[in-house]
Amino acid sequence: MPLHPDSRPTARGATADDDVIAKADPAAPAVDSLPGDRYLNRELSWLDFNARVLALAEDPRTPLLERAKFLAIFASNLDEFYMVRVAGLKRRQQTGLAVRGTDGLFPREQLQRIAERTAALVSRHARCFAGDVQPALAAESIRIVRWAELEAPERERMRAYFREHVFPVLTPLAVDPAHPFPYISGLSLNLAVVVRDPDDGPELFARVKVPNNVPRFVAVGSERTTSPREADRPARFLPVEDLIAAHLGQLFSGMEVVEHHLFRVTRNADFELDEDRDEDLLQALERELARRRFGPPVRLEVAASISDHVLELLVRELDMDAHDVMRIPALLDLSSLWQVYTDTDRPDLKDRPFVPATHPQFAEGEVPRSVFARLRDNDILVHHPYHSFSTSVQRFVEQAAADPNVLAIKQTLYRTSGDSPIVDALVAAAEAGKQVVVLVEVKARFDEQANIGWARMLERAGCHVVYGMVGLKTHCKTALVMRQEGNQIRRYCHIGTGNYHPKTARLYEDFGLLTADPEVGADLTDLFNVLTGYSRQTAYRRLLVAPYGVRSGIIERIEREIAHVRAGRPGLVQIKANSLVDEEIVDALYRASLAGVDVDLLIRGICTLKPGVPGLSERIRVRSIVGRFLEHSRVFRFGDGAIAPRQTPVAIRESPPSPQESAAVAAAAPGGEFWIGSADLMHRNLDRRVEALVQVVDPAARVELDRMMRVAFAERTAAFELAGDGTWHRRVSNGDQPLVDPQETLLRRIFDKVE
């Protein structure tokens, strides 16, 4: 196998301070001297993240339909958490692998705490919807109604809809000695129905699956409002399960319907692929995908009104425990509120729309220049969604596909969209005779089936397709273009923090570096040789690559900051990531704090580090930004503490800094390093994935990363902050003064420019 996570040689990073990178600081405290209870539980930390999502839904300052959207996001997040994380804990418990976690808890104890914490969050979630958001929507003439609330003409329309669109796809399944309890697919809505013969027959049980090929909420009709904005708008939605329940008599003709209740099952959707078997990876993956449908149940959601005897039957037949049951006091599966959000044309109740700006370096002048001509001048750092994906990264790939001087394109694809212009460009390049190599990671969770489709389509077009690597997921976001220019071949590169996905590029916050730097080009050439062949390259020039070099490279640079402080110079570590779990890196950050290094962490999701603990982490602070866009970029900064970013306010600007400004910043901080890339600080990323971080050396790009970090950690910035006891606190104001939303600050430059 080309890469192996057990061996982590030191990465070669071109830096002026390589001579002070220490293997181990003899003055630093040993790991054994750090307290044993220094880690937070990762699963509870994830639930805290979802609670931050819920806080946005609960906030009356959030536009109303955006609040409904955050309720949907909370619900879908929780589904995936149970399908993967809770399922994993249950599997570990059932197989006897009851090993304590780093926080000292056994799987059984974790599951108990998860159940308690989830119950509280689900209750908050239901209260927010039923007691706050739903009434507020009704006040705006957007109503989710029940069958009993419909007027006679509306019922007639709904009966016709039921006959034409719903009834034909319903299949009631009886449960009796001749009919075993049916298989309940994961995340499907179901009606548990009790019927009996009206001539004093016994009660019988049946299950009716709510079809997933009809909308969850049926638009009842339009309602005239007093608002001058629009005369008519579709504003009344009937849950389809209500429509089915009102017509159960047609499904059980001649029987009396005694009771009916809604329920939903979540199943284990994680699977382990045996890649050591001598078979095609795609065939093995497709076999496991088929098995995913039949994973064991891990959660049973039921309507709060369900009768005890029906609940007992479900628990028994599904072979579940009572503590796996969640009674939901509101509608089940509020992830369906996405439909209400998208189907309701009320821009006044949503975030203000915006058009991503074309990066100034890509703006067309009087004489249009190609992406390649611009990159020959300097590197360009794009920041999505504020900078347009289509006029930067997408244009880079499309121009490469159309350019007759381009000889080859190599690219990784982890996730992409259903109508991907990136895939279209790669197909066009192959059809034009260019060499196109695409690594499609078919093991990307929940996108496996789609990626198999992309891989086969690219193969049919003549692309050389690699289906990932044995034992590792390829998560790095890289593209390499080889172009003939005179007597030489020049390499152009893109390395990003997000996927080549034009739709999520408008929703996810990510950075991407476009460069013609020869060292980066040589690094990507070497990396693709590892990904597509049998190269065992482990060290690079401007890259840190997992599973070899990311953990060791980060820890070495943290140790360098410790050495700086011990030598009387300032030390600074700033990290922006989705998750921080890896114990080796957490311990290195603790050592840095104890040595006097300032540590700023911007962690969107899971964080197992305890900040601000006396004698351990007094110089560490942890923030989380959860907002309109999903904070997704991974940015690492080491050094340059003399700038004192904790005190210095910096405004965000649209135009790039002048060469004089960039030179001044570079001269003021010769030892500081900035890195961006795909890796979160988790075991799976550092040990079981191919990840890539690239060092950002362009002065203008470094200034932009510096400005972003300063805004994120400024005292005037609104954010969630983590305390040493594991609790998160939201800061939205300083007394009577509201704090600044960092995403709105970045958007403001676009709005100001347009207006």
Side-chain angles (χ1 to χ4, degrees):
M1 191 168 74
L3 294 176
H4 195 280
D6 294 333
S7 174
R8 303 188 189 101
T10 301
R12 284 200 316 268
T15 165
D17 279 349
D18 273 345
D19 59 323
V20 302
I21 294 182
K23 297 296 180 186
D25 186 347
V31 171
D32 292 344
S33 67
L34 297 174
D37 61 346
R38 61 188 181 275
Y39 306 118
L40 298 170
N41 180 270
R42 62 158 291 161
E43 317 303 347
L44 298 178
S45 180
W46 185 92
L47 287 173
D48 287 338
F49 156 67
N50 215 24
R52 298 195 288 280
V53 174
L54 181 55
L56 298 183
E58 294 170 326
D59 190 343
R61 292 167 297 190
T62 304
L64 183 54
L65 282 171
E66 302 296 336
R67 297 177 68 185
K69 180 188 74 176
F70 283 120
L71 287 173
I73 292 172
F74 173 93
S76 58
N77 283 350
L78 197 59
D79 286 344
E80 185 171 334
F81 176 70
Y82 268 81
M83 292 160 65
V84 178
R85 298 304 308 175
V86 173
L89 286 171
K90 285 181 174 290
R91 184 172 60 242
R92 213 173 307 162
Q93 183 183 30
Q94 292 163 0
T95 55
L97 300 176
V99 180
R100 288 184 187 271
T102 56
D103 60 330
L105 297 177
F106 285 111
R108 174 181 53 79
E109 296 171 303
Q110 293 189 62
L111 288 169
Q112 182 178 350
R113 295 194 185 188
I114 287 170
E116 294 170 355
R117 180 75 171 121
T118 302
L121 287 175
V122 168
S123 179
R124 271 178 58 188
H125 185 239
R127 283 198 309 271
C128 179
F129 172 70
D132 194 355
V133 172
Q134 189 175 14
L137 288 171
E140 290 287 345
S141 300
I142 303 168
R143 292 183 172 88
I144 297 175
V145 296
R146 312 313 291 256
W147 179 260
E149 300 174 55
L150 299 183
E151 298 176 358
E154 294 171 327
R155 290 192 180 191
E156 284 304 313
R157 289 199 300 271
M158 290 300 96
R159 288 192 183 101
Y161 179 88
F162 177 80
R163 288 193 302 271
E164 296 171 11
H165 300 283
V166 182
F167 183 76
V169 295
L170 294 179
T171 304
L173 296 175
V175 177
D176 57 34
H179 300 86
F181 191 85
Y183 174 77
I184 309 297
S185 54
L187 302 185
S188 64
L189 283 173
N190 302 270
L191 284 168
V193 184
V194 177
V195 299
R196 70 179 169 209
D197 190 305
D199 298 329
D200 295 328
E203 290 189 349
L204 303 170
F205 178 86
R207 171 259 195 162
V208 178
K209 180 179 179 179
V210 177
N212 56 13
N213 54 357
V214 297
R216 168 70 188 286
F217 295 111
V218 183
V220 175
S222 298
E223 181 174 282
R224 183 166 297 278
T225 71
T226 58
S227 169
R229 289 182 292 266
E230 297 180 30
D232 296 287
R233 56 170 65 95
R236 288 162 68 82
F237 298 94
L238 176 71
V240 69
E241 64 268 22
D242 256 33
L243 181 61
I244 296 171
H247 294 82
L248 286 175
Q250 295 184 31
L251 294 174
F252 302 97
S253 179
M255 302 292 285
E256 176 189 352
V257 178
V258 179
E259 56 183 310
H260 62 270
H261 308 281
L262 198 65
F263 71 97
R264 185 172 183 257
V265 174
T266 307
R267 293 185 176 274
N268 181 345
D270 204 17
F271 58 82
E272 296 182 7
L273 190 65
D274 184 3
E275 299 182 56
D276 295 327
R277 295 177 54 168
D278 186 18
E279 66 176 317
D280 183 89
L281 178 61
L282 248 63
Q283 292 177 352
L285 183 62
E286 287 179 317
R287 185 189 66 250
E288 293 302 322
L289 286 174
R291 291 181 183 176
R292 174 184 278 174
R293 295 180 54 245
F294 301 98
V298 295
R299 179 180 61 163
L300 172 62
E301 297 172 276
V302 298
S305 60
I306 193 169
S307 61
D308 290 341
H309 70 281
V310 172
L311 178 57
E312 289 169 5
L313 182 147
L314 291 174
V315 169
R316 181 178 67 253
E317 294 291 346
L318 291 166
D319 193 22
M320 302 185 74
D321 296 324
H323 62 261
D324 296 326
V325 176
M326 288 186 186
R327 288 180 178 264
I328 309 298
L331 284 174
L332 268 65
D333 188 19
L334 287 181
S335 65
S336 301
L337 288 175
W338 268 109
Q339 183 197 335
V340 175
Y341 177 85
T342 56
D343 288 359
T344 305
D345 185 18
R346 288 291 299 273
D348 56 306
L349 301 180
K350 297 181 180 181
D351 283 327
R352 185 179 183 183
F354 80 103
V355 177
T358 295
H359 190 285
Q361 294 285 347
F362 289 127
E364 299 291 355
E366 293 183 5
V367 181
R369 299 176 66 201
S370 72
V371 171
F372 307 115
R374 295 183 186 280
L375 293 181
R376 286 194 293 271
D377 294 339
N378 53 266
D379 295 353
I380 298 176
L381 183 77
V382 289
H383 193 187
H384 310 301
Y386 313 106
H387 291 140
S388 169
F389 180 87
S390 62
T391 61
S392 56
V393 179
Q394 181 179 319
R395 182 184 295 177
F396 170 68
V397 178
E398 289 176 337
Q399 286 193 4
D403 191 329
N405 294 320
V406 168
L407 306 177
I409 303 172
K410 300 182 180 184
Q411 186 162 354
T412 61
L413 287 179
Y414 190 75
R415 303 186 198 275
T416 189
S417 62
D419 53 350
S420 173
I422 297 292
V423 172
D424 291 344
L426 295 173
V427 167
E431 291 174 345
K434 295 177 170 58
Q435 184 187 64
V436 179
V437 179
V438 188
L439 191 146
V440 180
E441 182 46 79
V442 293
K443 293 170 287 185
R445 182 182 287 146
F446 300 125
D447 274 344
E448 299 96 341
Q449 201 67 56
N451 284 6
I452 289 173
W454 294 127
R456 287 180 168 153
M457 187 180 79
L458 288 164
E459 275 188 325
R460 288 193 297 269
C463 301
H464 301 290
V465 179
V466 180
Y467 300 124
M469 301 182 67
V470 174
L472 299 169
K473 283 186 181 180
T474 304
H475 191 246
C476 55
K477 326 295 183 182
T478 56
L480 174 65
V481 172
M482 274 72 73
R483 188 173 188 268
Q484 184 74 49
E485 298 180 0
N487 295 324
Q488 66 170 335
I489 294 177
R490 191 187 294 268
R491 290 174 282 205
Y492 297 87
C493 313
H494 172 264
I495 300 177
T497 69
N499 299 305
Y500 293 103
H501 197 308
K503 292 183 179 178
T504 59
R506 294 178 64 95
L507 302 172
Y508 289 16
E509 178 271 341
D510 275 301
F511 282 102
L513 180 70
L514 291 148
T515 179
D517 186 285
E519 286 193 331
V520 177
D523 278 346
L524 280 193
T525 300
D526 292 339
L527 178 57
F528 274 104
N529 288 340
V530 170
L531 296 175
T532 63
Y534 288 114
S535 171
R536 293 180 177 271
Q537 173 118 358
T538 60
Y540 299 84
R541 304 157 189 81
R542 286 256 309 275
L543 297 185
L544 296 174
V545 177
Y548 289 101
V550 173
R551 179 189 282 110
S552 60
I554 289 173
I555 292 176
E556 285 170 354
R557 283 156 180 79
I558 294 172
E559 297 289 351
R560 182 187 63 195
E561 295 309 302
I562 294 174
H564 283 170
V565 172
R566 297 197 186 283
R569 299 190 294 274
L572 175 68
V573 174
Q574 291 183 320
I575 296 174
K576 180 182 185 297
N578 295 306
S579 300
L580 171 58
V581 174
D582 187 76
E583 292 83 11
E584 290 185 52
I585 292 178
V586 169
D587 286 348
L589 294 172
Y590 282 144
R591 293 195 301 272
S593 174
L594 290 170
V597 177
D598 286 332
V599 179
D600 291 330
L601 304 175
L602 189 62
I603 309 298
R604 189 232 325 158
I606 305 169
C607 180
T608 60
L609 178 146
K610 297 181 177 181
V613 177
L616 177 66
S617 55
E618 292 168 273
R619 301 188 74 89
I620 302 177
R621 62 176 174 172
V622 179
R623 282 188 170 184
S624 178
I625 294 173
V626 182
R628 174 175 182 173
F629 306 121
L630 183 81
E631 294 287 328
H632 191 252
S633 65
R634 293 87 167 182
V635 181
F636 303 83
R637 177 184 189 167
F638 305 99
D640 202 11
I643 293 182
R646 296 191 179 199
Q647 289 79 35
T648 308
V650 176
I652 290 290
R653 58 191 292 169
E654 168 61 25
S655 60
S658 67
Q660 293 80 6
E661 290 176 312
S662 299
V665 170
E673 289 185 6
F674 289 90
W675 297 74
I676 66 169
S678 58
D680 280 313
L681 305 181
M682 306 176 73
H683 304 145
R684 71 182 188 192
N685 299 84
L686 305 180
D687 294 330
R688 301 190 298 277
R689 290 186 176 185
V690 181
E691 306 275 13
L693 305 182
V694 62
Q695 186 179 357
V696 179
V697 299
D698 179 81
R702 287 159 50 89
V703 166
E704 286 304 303
L705 291 173
D706 169 72
R707 292 177 188 275
M708 183 275 296
M709 285 293 199
R710 293 193 189 210
V711 167
F713 289 106
E715 287 301 317
R716 69 178 188 277
T717 296
F720 293 87
E721 295 189 345
L722 179 62
D725 62 357
T727 58
W728 288 87
H729 306 277
R730 190 180 185 192
R731 295 178 65 251
V732 295
S733 64
N734 185 9
D736 295 332
Q737 187 69 27
L739 298 179
V740 177
D741 183 320
Q743 294 183 351
E744 287 299 318
T745 300
L746 290 164
L747 275 176
R748 190 71 251 165
R749 63 181 182 176
I750 297 175
F751 291 147
D752 289 345
K753 183 178 180 181
V754 171
E755 295 171 354

